[in-house]
Amino acid sequence: MTTPRIPAPAHPPSAPDDEVRPVLRAKTIATRLTPEELREVEAAAGRDGTSLAEWLRELALKTARQRPADPMELLLSEVSATRYMLLNLFHATAQANAEGKHLLPESVLKIRDQANTRKLEAARKLMEEFLAQGGQEGGKP
């Protein structure tokens, strides 16, 4: 069931430059919950320190914006991370040796963490580039 809303004016009054305009939300989504389910949802919103409406909105949008896990994308992300780590470890080791030093364990962990941070984005970029070139046809027209 939706609640009737008063339509927004065609030309809203202009706000001062330093005032932020709120986002106008005009649509409502309703669902039915058992009393126990409602208590669970309200408790979850309370733990996050947000209103029930805001908590539900954030969860719905977060879930809607997530892309499903593509096994090929996950595999490519691990290959990308491995490549990143190898190249950076080889470079860091060569640089340390040239300076007469040893590669520190903290440096290895930092490279690993950087690889993990960027791997999914790098995989998605590679997939997009591959598909833009014609994908399985190898870029042939």
Side-chain angles (χ1 to χ4, degrees):
M1 180 161 97
T2 60
T3 306
R5 305 273 183 197
I6 300 172
H11 300 286
S14 54
D17 290 338
D18 59 343
E19 187 178 321
V20 178
R21 288 186 181 169
V23 176
L24 297 177
R25 293 183 173 100
K27 299 292 181 183
T28 301
I29 300 173
T31 190
R32 295 183 187 274
L33 300 171
T34 65
E36 182 180 318
E37 290 171 334
L38 179 59
R39 283 191 296 275
E40 288 180 54
V41 172
E42 288 174 333
R47 283 191 303 271
D48 285 353
T50 60
S51 69
L52 180 58
E54 186 62 28
W55 187 84
L56 288 169
R57 183 183 309 107
E58 288 176 8
L59 182 62
L61 289 172
K62 178 182 174 186
T63 303
R65 292 172 179 161
Q66 285 179 341
R67 291 177 36 183
D70 177 357
M72 185 59 69
E73 191 175 73
L74 295 175
L75 182 62
L76 186 57
S77 72
E78 289 301 321
V79 171
S80 175
T82 302
R83 179 179 184 266
Y84 180 89
M85 287 177 53
L86 282 173
L87 292 174
N88 282 283
L89 286 170
F90 288 151
H91 177 76
T93 302
Q95 188 173 2
N97 287 339
E99 296 172 1
K101 299 178 182 176
H102 296 285
L103 187 61
L104 298 174
E106 296 82 21
S107 299
V108 175
L109 295 177
K110 183 177 179 182
I111 291 170
R112 180 206 56 198
D113 293 344
Q114 290 171 340
N116 282 334
T117 300
R118 66 180 301 280
K119 68 183 180 181
L120 192 55
E121 180 182 332
R124 287 179 177 162
K125 182 179 177 188
L126 287 170
M127 290 284 286
E128 288 172 7
E129 290 172 358
F130 175 75
L131 294 173
Q133 294 175 2
Q136 296 175 355
E137 293 86 35
K140 296 178 185 174

